[in-house]
Amino acid sequence: MGKKLYIETLGCAMNVRDSEHIIAELKTKESYDLTEDINEADLILINTCSVREKPVHKLFSEIGHFNKIKKKDAKIGVCGCTASHLGEEIIKRAPYVSFVLGARNVSKITEVLHKEKAVEIDIDYDESTYAFSDFRSSPYKAYINISIGCDKQCTFCIVPSTRGEEISIPSELIINEARRAAQSGAKEIFLLGQNVNNYGRRFSSGDEKINFTELLRRVSQIEGIERIRFTSPHPLHMDDEFLEEFASNPKICKSMHMPLQSGSTEILRRMKRGYTKEWFLNRAFKLREMVPDVHISTDIIVGFPGENDKDFEDTLDVVKKVKFEQIFSFKYSPRPLTPAKDYEDQVPQEIASERLSLLQEMHKEMLDDIAKKQKGKVFNVYFEELKPGGYVAGRSDNNFIIKVKGSEELLGEFRDVKITKPGRLSLEGEVIA
Ligand code: 5AD
Ligand code: SF4
């Protein structure tokens, strides 16, 4: 019997891809097979996120629980951003943990597995050209990293300290990986990086320097690839050339993540975001004008130090004007290793909570309105997932989750779907062609 690996992934899409790399390395080099049953696992991994405080607290109760229910000789490893950030402290607080593997040290997974109490968290480690073994959790879409690390110094964000300096992955490696994915049947490519439209900023060797717009053009020329998505772009780097490519290239899905963070120019300055309220609005309006059906999602932090009622009003104002199709909203969480945690004017929790619910309530109404308008419209859907109750779900080009009655034969297929029952979280429809 082969050895069994149980892995839990928290956080962002980068972490999802890091987990796929970990699984690939363990499968091909150590003969592990995945299991969803933690009780039979020989190795239990948790790939952590440290962007907010809550999941970090949860980590210790979670691994404590793993330790109680695991098989006698099973190992527990902690990977990801909290591993980078806490390092050895994890083993001190939870001595039953066998190793700690940072978010920028994924390629060392087979090494740490054989070193008792190994802690590999070097944030200067360069894995940008490491050839990982292949594993993809979905046969229909392929996540591909295009850079590691992040050079932005947003004052709220711990990521530069957990994932280190930004290095772009050579375009040739990205293109080859996309080709392989297409050959194995993936029709959708998801390009990943902390700051994708800053692609080309720095390579670790003498590779050809191209920017993100050019990378998109090249990926879209690969035979078999029908859709391209990417995350996360930065509003500051949304120049006209990029928006024009986004608008005119039929393979680029018409869904853009534009992390606003705050609508107040003063708070944006304190966050060191590099743009103003006006710049953000200008880019969002231009995008809506160029791509009429575009879906714009965003991230918003409320209660950043110094945020007053007027600043929060500015955030609501941008939300009203842009009418985001999706908002990920968070209360500011002071993080270690970030400048903003030491700012004097921290906002009381009650005020931040109040602002968060105001924002979310306002957006719910917008979403009802957006959903209603979709009734009767026809979308081309790429089906990816079976859902309970005899449904199959996929996404429209502009990122609506759409479900229809159906089964396996729709998976990996494109169909035109007419919306019959619009909902806030997903739209239901009927296949018409
Ligand atoms: N507090 C709250 N939210 C944060 N994010 C990043 N750092 C913090 C923090 N300290 C949010 C940002 C980012 C998303 C991934 O997480 O909105 O875009
Ligand atoms: Fe979480 Fe950020 Fe790390 Fe992703 S990069 S896992 S969001 S801390």
Side-chain angles (χ1 to χ4, degrees):
M1 277 263 290
K3 289 168 286 182
K4 301 276 188 205
L5 163 69
Y6 176 91
I7 183 163
E8 181 179 327
T9 306
L10 310 169
C12 63
M14 298 290 290
N15 258 23
V16 172
R17 184 63 183 143
D18 287 346
S19 285
E20 288 183 346
H21 280 150
I22 290 173
I23 296 165
E25 294 287 298
L26 290 173
K27 260 178 174 281
T28 52
K29 298 183 182 156
E30 299 284 336
S31 313
Y32 275 92
D33 271 324
L34 274 177
T35 175
E36 287 184 8
D37 178 4
I38 193 163
N39 300 297
E40 66 160 14
D42 301 284
L43 175 62
I44 299 170
L45 296 180
I46 178 158
N47 197 5
T48 58
C49 172
S50 59
V51 84
R52 279 169 294 276
E53 198 179 8
K54 237 195 219 154
V56 180
H57 277 317
K58 262 179 60 187
L59 169 67
F60 287 97
S61 59
E62 190 133 29
I63 52 179
H65 175 66
F66 289 168
N67 187 43
K68 279 197 199 114
I69 61 171
K70 74 179 182 63
K71 261 188 355 194
K72 190 165 156 283
D73 295 322
K75 287 185 176 181
I76 297 177
V78 177
C79 313
C81 287
T82 309
S84 306
H85 154 219
L86 294 179
E88 212 150 325
E89 197 187 320
I90 296 176
I91 297 190
K92 281 200 192 119
R93 278 178 69 177
Y96 48 82
V97 167
S98 300
F99 59 84
V100 175
L101 184 69
R104 206 185 164 107
N105 299 259
V106 173
S107 58
K108 299 181 195 161
I109 179 68
T110 53
E111 215 178 287
V112 291
L113 187 63
H114 299 294
K115 262 196 254 160
E116 203 35 34
K117 308 293 173 202
V119 177
E120 289 288 345
I121 54 167
D122 179 5
I123 63 157
D124 294 323
Y125 191 64
D126 180 6
E127 331 191 86
S128 66
T129 56
Y130 185 84
F132 283 101
S133 306
D134 259 342
F135 173 82
R136 303 198 172 279
S137 19
S138 163
Y140 312 116
K141 82 175 156 206
Y143 284 114
I144 298 180
N145 289 350
I146 68 164
S147 59
I148 60 174
C150 180
D151 268 2
K152 295 277 170 222
Q153 295 288 332
C154 301
T155 56
F156 52 80
C157 188
I158 195 175
V159 175
S161 306
T162 64
R163 290 187 177 267
E165 170 181 84
E166 190 170 322
I167 305 180
S168 303
I169 292 173
S171 58
E172 209 183 290
L173 295 184
I174 298 169
I175 300 293
N176 285 343
E177 196 175 342
R179 270 204 198 103
R180 279 203 311 277
Q183 276 157 11
S184 68
K187 294 174 188 157
E188 184 173 308
I189 297 290
F190 213 125
L191 302 174
L192 297 175
Q194 231 58 54
N195 197 355
V196 283
N197 51 344
N198 204 24
Y199 179 79
R201 178 174 169 80
R202 182 189 300 111
F203 293 94
S204 58
S205 50
D207 301 288
E208 185 196 6
K209 285 192 171 32
I210 61 168
N211 67 13
F212 186 56
T213 307
E214 180 57 24
L215 181 70
L216 286 173
R217 286 190 195 112
R218 294 192 189 179
V219 173
S220 67
Q221 282 156 12
I222 298 172
E223 211 186 302
I225 292 176
E226 310 215 16
R227 283 185 172 187
I228 304 169
R229 298 186 192 274
F230 51 83
T231 203
S232 278
H234 194 296
L236 181 63
H237 304 296
M238 293 191 178
D239 55 32
D240 286 350
E241 189 204 7
F242 167 64
L243 292 186
E244 276 152 24
E245 184 65 26
F246 179 85
S248 62
N249 188 328
K251 290 197 182 172
I252 300 179
C253 288
K254 301 303 178 251
S255 153
M256 184 82 87
H257 191 56
M258 287 185 74
L260 169 67
Q261 311 301 0
S262 168
S264 151
T265 296
E266 174 54 18
I267 297 296
L268 288 168
R269 190 187 62 75
R270 293 170 61 114
M271 288 174 162
K272 285 218 169 80
R273 291 288 291 170
Y275 54 87
T276 58
K277 176 185 180 184
E278 288 68 33
W279 167 264
F280 188 94
L281 285 174
N282 171 287
R283 296 291 89 184
F285 291 156
K286 175 135 193 169
L287 189 58
R288 290 257 188 240
E289 190 188 298
M290 291 170 93
V291 189
D293 286 329
V294 71
H295 181 127
I296 308 181
S297 56
T298 196
D299 292 344
I300 294 176
I301 297 177
V302 299
F304 184 80
E307 185 188 72
N308 60 30
D309 287 341
K310 166 80 186 52
D311 295 313
F312 180 59
E313 278 301 319
D314 275 329
T315 298
L316 295 182
D317 187 46
V318 175
V319 172
K320 278 182 210 147
K321 288 185 167 134
V322 178
K323 298 193 174 66
F324 298 103
E325 278 76 10
Q326 197 174 17
I327 300 183
F328 301 94
S329 49
F330 316 100
K331 258 193 295 182
Y332 168 69
S333 166
R335 306 303 297 123
L337 314 170
T338 63
K341 76 162 194 326
D342 299 322
Y343 290 179
E344 273 167 15
D345 34 11
Q346 301 285 325
V347 171
Q349 278 298 312
E350 317 81 73
I351 295 185
S353 302
E354 212 174 284
R355 288 182 185 158
L356 187 67
S357 18
L358 258 165
L359 169 67
Q360 291 177 342
E361 281 311 309
M362 188 176 110
H363 191 239
K364 264 188 209 153
E365 282 174 28
M366 283 184 179
L367 282 182
D368 285 337
D369 211 41
I370 292 169
K372 257 189 253 154
K373 288 193 181 128
Q374 311 311 318
K375 191 163 178 183
K377 281 197 192 168
V378 175
F379 293 97
N380 191 248
V381 178
Y382 183 41
F383 287 100
E384 296 168 49
E385 216 186 332
L386 293 176
K387 291 280 181 193
Y391 285 97
V392 194
R395 285 179 190 262
S396 63
D397 173 293
N398 63 354
N399 216 25
F400 281 118
I401 298 175
I402 298 181
K403 59 179 190 175
V404 300
K405 283 278 181 196
S407 55
E408 283 89 359
E409 66 267 13
L410 280 177
L411 292 176
E413 298 290 325
F414 287 91
R415 291 284 188 279
D416 285 340
V417 175
K418 187 172 181 175
I419 304 305
T420 51
K421 272 193 225 160
R424 209 184 276 152
L425 298 177
S426 67
L427 310 171
E428 191 176 331
E430 282 163 11
V431 173
I432 58 164

